[in-house]
Amino acid sequence: MKRTLLAAICGILTVAMASAADKPNILFIVSDDTGYGDLGPYGGGEGRGMPTPNIDRLAQEGMTFFSFYAQPSCTPGRAAMQTGRIPNRSGMTTVAFQGQGGGLPAAEWTLASVLKKGGYKTYFTGKWHLGEADYALPNAQGYDVMEHCFLYHCNAYTYGDPTWFPDMDPKLRSMFNKVTKGSLSGNAGEKAKEDFKVNGQYVDKPGESVTIEGVNYPDGVVGIPFMDQYVEASGIKFLEEAAKTPDEPFFINVNFMKVHQPNLPAPEFKHKSLSKSKYADSVVELDTRIGNITAKLKELGLDKNTLVFYTTDNGAWQDVYPDAGYTPFRGTKGTVREGGNRVPAIAVWPDKIKPGVKNHDIVGGLDLMATFASVAGVELPEKDREGEPIYFDSYDMTPVLTGKGKSAREAWFYFTEVELTPGAARVGNYKALFNIRGDDGASTGGLAVDTNLGWKGPEKYVAVVPQVFDLWADPQERYDIFMNNFTERTWTLVTINESIKELMKTYVKYPPRKLQSEVYTGPITLPQYQRFQHVRDSLEKEGFSLPLPTGN
C-alpha cells in the first residue's frame, strides 16, 4: 500500500516537473523611446552612425516585426504591455508627477501576476513608470522580486539638480529632492527599500553619504549615466540564480532607462559611436547591455528554452531632437501618427521561431499578455484581481511566432491621453485619422512657438471628413486618399467604423477605470456638463455609431 502511494506521489511529482520543464522561460527586454529607424534591422545601426551588432544578431536569430505597435508615450506604452489592455481601461494614460502617488490600480492583472498562476518565478528591474504608490509597484503587481526599479523617466531626476536648473526656487528644489524616489528594491509583500538617490551628474556613489552642489544624499547617489549598469547587473544576477533551478520556469522583465532624453552615456561609451553624439553613444550602450544579457543567457545554457522578446515603449520623441531617435514615419511621440506608435520589436525562440524571419502582421505590445500566457499554458482571467469582470485587448501571437498562422488581429486603435474613441484606427492596410494633433510633424524654425508638434500640438479633430491613408502604399501618411485622389476611398470608413463601434460597445460592459493622472484639456463648458449624463445614457441604451460621411 505504501509503495503504491509512494509510486503515485512520485508519478505526480514527475508529471509536475516535466510540465514545469516544458514551459519556456521568458526574457522580456524593453528600452525607452528607441526610434524605429535607430537599429540595424530597421535600416539604422552603422548606417546612422550607431552600430547595433547585438540587436542585429537577435534579428538574425529570430523574427523582426515591421508593423508592431506601442502606445504614443511611456506610461500608456508600459501599461499596455503589462496589462494587455488599452490604457484608458486601466486609467494609465499618463502618470502623476513624482510625490503625487497613485499608479497602476491594484485590481489590474500584469504579465507577472498572470504568469505566477503558471508557476513562474518573476523578476523586475529598471524603468517602471506606472506610479509610485505601494500598491502600484512591481513587487505588489505579481513580481516576486524587484531590484533597482526606477519609477520615472530620466528627466525627472534632473528637476532637483541645481546644475540643471539653477534658477529653480530653493523651496521647490527641496521638495523635488525630498519626494523623488531613487532606486527601489524589495520582495513581494515587503515595503520597498530605497537603494540610493538619482541625479543628473556623472557620479556613481551608492551607499555613502555625499554632498553635490549643496544637495546632500545621505544614502548615496547614482547619476543618470550609470543607471543602466545597475539594471544590467540585476538582470545578470537573476539569470545566474535561475540557472541553479533549471526545472523552474522564470519570467524576467529588464527595462533599460536609455535612450530617453536626456541621454548621458556611461563614461566607457562616450564617443564610442561613429557619430559621437550623446544619443548615438547611448544607443551603442543600450545595444551592448542587451548583448551582455543575452550572452549570459547563452553562457548559462538557458537560451534553448527561453523566449526572448525585445521592444520599446513608444515612438521616437522628435520634439527633443537631436537628443532623440529617428523614425521614417510621420509624426512623433505624443501623436496618433505612425511615428508615435510604430516601434521596433524582435522575438527569438530557438526551435520555435525560424531565424531571419521578417513579419508584417498587425501586432503590438498589447498582445504580449495573451502570447506569454499562451506559451506558459495559462488561461487569461475573466475577472480582475478584485473579482470584477475584466476585458483584455490582447491577441495570442504564438501562431505568428511559430509560423503556423497569421495574426488574428485585424485592427489597431491609436489614442492620446484622454480619448475614449480612438484618435485614429487602422483596419488592414487602411488607416483613418480623426485627431491630426501634431499636423505634419515638421518643425517651423527654431524660434517658432510651434516647433514642438508632439504633445505641444493641439488636438485637432477632423471626424466629419477624416484623413485616410493606405499604409502599404504610403506608410508615411503623406497622401490623404479619402476624397481627393482619382478614386476616392470613402468606403474604407465602413469597416473602420464597424471596428470602432465594436470597441465602444466594450466600454459599456467593462467601464474604464478612473484616470490615474489628469491633464489639462481646456475649459469644461456648461453645455458639456449638461450633456455628460445624456452621453452616458446614450452609450448604454444605443451603443456608439460613427456616421459615414457622404458627398464629396
Side-chain angles (χ1 to χ4, degrees), residues 454-507:
W455 280 297
K456 202 168 184 178
E459 293 180 331
K460 294 174 65 175
Y461 286 91
V462 289
V464 174
V465 183
Q467 295 179 351
V468 170
F469 302 95
D470 180 348
L471 293 181
W472 284 350
D474 177 28
Q476 289 186 319
E477 299 171 86
R478 293 294 173 191
Y479 303 97
D480 178 7
I481 57 174
F482 187 61
M483 280 187 174
N484 59 355
N485 81 334
F486 72 97
T487 172
E488 58 162 286
R489 296 295 204 284
T490 52
W491 52 266
T492 58
L493 262 292
V494 175
T495 52
I496 292 173
N497 172 57
E498 187 63 26
S499 187
I500 295 174
K501 180 179 179 181
E502 291 303 310
L503 168 70
M504 296 303 293
K505 285 180 181 178
T506 67
Y507 294 135

Side-chain angles (χ1 to χ4, degrees), residues 5 24 130 149 166 185 257 299 301 316 346 359 418 436 444 516 519:
L5 181 60
L130 296 176
C149 171
S185 297
M257 300 297 293
E299 176 192 319
I346 301 171
N359 182 273
V418 297
I436 56 173
T444 54
Q516 296 304 298
V519 294

Side-chain angles (χ1 to χ4, degrees), residues 24 118 156 216 283 369:
N216 179 247
V283 170
M369 172 64 87

